[in-house]
Amino acid sequence: IFRVFCWCPGAGQDVGRSCILVSIAGKNVMLDCGMHMGYNDDRRFPDFSYITQNGRLTDFLDCVIISHFHLDHCGALPYFSEMVGYDGPIYMTHPTKAICPILLEDYRKITVDKKGETNFFTSQMIKDCMKKVVAVHLHQTVQVDEELEIKAYYAGHVLGAAMFQIKVGCESVVYTGDYNMTPDRHLGAAWIDKCRPDLLISESTYATTIRDSKRCRERDFLKKVHETVERGGKVLIPVFALGRAQELCILLETFWERMNLKAPIYFSTGLTEKANHYYKLFITWTNQKIRKTFVQRNMFEFKHIKAFDRAFADNPGPMVVFATPGMLHAGQSLQIFRKWAGNEKNMVIMPGYCVQGTVGHKILSGQRKLEMEGRQILEVKMQVEYMSFSAHADAKGIMQLIRQAEPRNVLLVHGEAKKMEFLKQKIEQEFHVSCFMPANGETTTILTNPCIPVDISLGLLKRETAIGPLPDAKKPKLMHGTLLMKDNSFRLVSPEQALKELGLAEHQLRFTCRVHIQDPRKEHETGLRVYNHLKGILKDYSVQHLPDGSITVESILIQATAHSEDQGTKVLLVSWTYQDEELGSYLTSLLKKGLPQSTP
Amino acid sequence: FFQYCLSGHPTLPCNVLKFKSTTIMLDCGLDMTSTLNFLPLPLVQSPRLSKLPGWVLKDGSTFLDKELKECSGHVFVDSVPEFCLPETELLDLSTVDVILISNYHCMMALPYITEYTGFTGTVYATEPTVQIGRLLMEELVNSIERVPKAQSASMWKNKEVQRLLPAPLKDAVEVSMWRKCYTMPEVNAALSKIQLVGYSQKIELFGAVQVTPLSSGYALGSSNWIIQSHYEKVSYVSGSSLLTTHPQPMDQASLKNSDVLILTGLTQIPTANPDGMVGEFCSNLAMTVRNGGNVLVPCYPSGVIYDLLECLYQYIDSAGLSNVPFYFISPVANSSLEFSQIFAEWLCHNKQTKVYLPEPPFPHAELIQTNKLKHYPSIHGDFSNDFKQPCVVFTGHPSLRFGDVVHFMELWGKSSLNTVIFTEPDFSYLDALAPYQPLAMKCVYCPIDTRLNFIQVSKLLKEVQPLHVVCPEQYTQPPPTQSHRTDLLIDCQPPAMSYRRAEVLTLPYKRRYEKIEIMPDLADSLVPLEIKPGISLATVSAVLHTKDNKHVLQLPPKLPQPPASKKRKRVSEDVPECKSLKPLLSGSIPVDQFVQTLEKHGFSDVKVEDTAKGHIVLLQEAETLIQLEEDSTHIICDNDEPLRVKLRDLVLKFLQKF
């Protein structure tokens, strides 16, 4: 019996950040290393003291896996590897490896340069951290060491997002990271094969929402943008530079073209153009349609969307601006928001989830008077809209993934407790598997009961299969073998081979029974009678009458001799080995009953 | 374990491997050297080619003059060009379960196999292989269909007729296997059967075999394949390179511990150093252009051309060529240049790093941006307006028999200012030039073949140490033109097994073991016994389940007790089941302890006699005799079943069961 430990320093019933520790068959793997965007102090990073109190991270962890480039999944990585200290391998996909350091640097700049915080990682630390990263292909089996292997599956969600299978021997865990099961305008749907892991660790951000159709949401979004622009208002869409932004850009670009609209669309900061470039170069990670047509037209070369300049925010007239970051917690999006918030003609559309404590979260929960830095009060008159464009799997999607992978246990993370409880019940009802939802810092232990693979000698296997299918399928076919256990190797061989390999001689156990029967005839005649009798009964056996007068039934030998004292009695010597025990025993009791009266 | 060899061309292999219960085709290369026997297909009406005299036999018969034409002192077939297919009769190709493709050059026969043989299996290839392979096929189909030819010659193929023809037609082999090019619908149908795979991905076939592609370093997405079960490993090495060009480096470590290593696709020009050839290419190109001439580079639309463009990118400014236009003409030129930029994950480390910046991995993006490199689908249309001389033209096909290159040969062949530079190693350049002779233009031969040479092969074999090597027969002897070069062959121990077209090889390995899984509840029920220090054993009696080639041992179900029947059954019904096996026994019985045990169990009249080989234990009252010897025990008794069973069990206590 083996155990899968699952310890969540920061991904339990909380959408804030992901960081999970899994122990499987003695291997320790850390899944994601996210930071919490809602905190500005030490609480934003996971607490690694659970591990470090007993020694170094590098000694304890066999590897670290990052599912995608969102900061709530990789934001604490430089802190973890450079400040706490970890030198082992870190695995992520190529696009994640390309984009992750840029987002980290971006975030570092906002935190250190703008807010003036000091206890934070440096640019050099990000670089050093990325040197420890090993990029993986989709479906590539990466052998971390002799026993531990990992494999990435496509997860949708954002460019380069992946689910990971972690496997040691027969035991395996699948970690989904964030994923979505429906293709969108630029990415495909998550996919996994029927890998039957012992445990599936799934995010559950949208545990209960079964979202209305994508098309409706898109129409709604376009309608709102269009109406605001028509009445001369400005639309602010706070986004993260990579991900949703590209999907919404494609959406607006095609809408502008179709409706022949003239209002300018801007995309803020230099990162944007760069971001679109990543999409162009990693186009194999986007959905089928974009991939097929990219030679004729690269979807990420926009005609209507221009780079934003800070001065444009004060321009009169309608415009649409995509600005980073997505939760209005800092940077350009917050600056523009402050400028436009006072005008009720304007609109802010929040296209994704906002963490508690951010301005985004506050205005979405209905707060209209915000306290800004320097005790300024900002009154929000502009319209606030929330549109869920985040590419997370909804309850339906999570169920679908479980159906695909067929796990033996499910563990839900990265969601809100109440919603998770609902989903947990649903999963247990529908799939009859155990479902867990650990709190932060809680350890879940899951018992697995793996099969034991052994080597079987081909001779033995062939011997067994050569007997062929039994006429009666209900009768189980028994096979006999000897399992040799030497060091850590298990080999199943035939008993003969086992004896030979061990240098042991076979010990033959033989029985000879004297059976007395009344028969006055000559010995050879008695023999013949016995032969005919047995031949008549044992139709499935080979019964032979040998020239010397003895009889064989298979390998059992029967001889008729005269009784030394009584001429009317004959003694039948029945002789068999232990291997023929049943037949021998049967024969003696059969012969004891005597021979039939009539001579044939 | 058999290998069926369907192609005799060492760099365009097509082999079928019977491995365990699966039939696996390794590559399906198309031998296109057959096209050299055909007349070129001109894009523009060519007065020269259309007025060639028909060929007349020595005896004056003219029945072949429609099919065969005399041109530049050689005889060519005037027909749609044909390719030499892999062998299709050696085995029933509809039984092939999977096809593994190693690189885009080795899949050109795919439509012939998947569309005409009843093939119903799956093809596995990497994404770049499929995308670029599609481009190569598209270009091929396009360049042949653009010049419709009414006639398809077949009379000359008659064995009796072929005998009478001049060389090389007389010596052309397998002419009955020559076929016309496939069509785009066939290409699409064939490609739809491909499943995409990534490097180091483990693909299970029917539970019996696992196949894995590994980076081979030769081209974008090119792979070697590992075909293995739990106990046997076959490595298929096809088109590999150790040079640092644009693709990801070759994965050598994973080839270790192979039982058999099949080695194909070595360099076709073992004596030429690719780096030196690139240098010669550049200097010849520069010299011609400086003298006001044009340069023609017959090439495939993908592969080495990326490296050549990169070299030129670094070279043109220093060589003062920045104003010379470079033209890349192919129906797939644009696609090829675009596709090359999106396979970051399949590129070498340097190029990957560029993508992380993010910048396009290949500098031809910049050449296009600065208008130094222009690409066109064909010589018709925009190209004719933009065309400026002197210039450099990259275009296909390297055989010089079809494609836009035919036009440039006709156009530039008469001037000694111009140069044609051959870089592709697949065709003999002299044969390629034959129908264009006499030529005034300069011809330079700079074959660039980055595949493994024999020195690299012997290093590789030393490193990965396969038990056996299998290779095409060409690699076991020096090249026919350089018979003294005994270094130009594969040298290994034991000597490589060689194959030739239409041969069946039996691969030398023997399986001894198979994997089986023991269910947890059965494992729990086993009682291991330590026999020797460190070695334990347990007897297993279990039910064997076999499904999809996976074997599982389960705990035998508890048989329900047969209901006690009221009527006494007839004797014959009690006949015991055939072959209910008892374990083997081992050990020996110490006579003193045995006697003690007997006494403990109530036998009071035990008498022991010594014999030559052991002892005889007598139970006098029961008239029973037990012979004890080193390796045997014989119980001789009257027909007293309870007594016998009791003695049996006492004896068994002293013995180990197997």
Side-chain angles (χ1 to χ4, degrees), chain A residues 14 65 133 143 147 167 208-209 372 395 433 505:
Chain A
D14 180 6
I65 292 171
V133 172
Q143 212 73 43
E147 289 114 35
K167 201 171 166 194
T208 53
T209 348
M372 306 307 282
V433 298

Side-chain angles (χ1 to χ4, degrees), chain A residues 278 455 491 512 514 541 581, chain B residues 231 356 513 576 623 634 648:
Chain A
Y278 280 117
D455 297 347
R491 284 183 307 133
T512 301
R514 295 184 290 262
Y541 291 81
E581 171 71 6
Chain B
Y231 301 97
Y356 289 171
Y513 285 96
E623 287 187 40
H634 194 169
R648 178 193 74 192

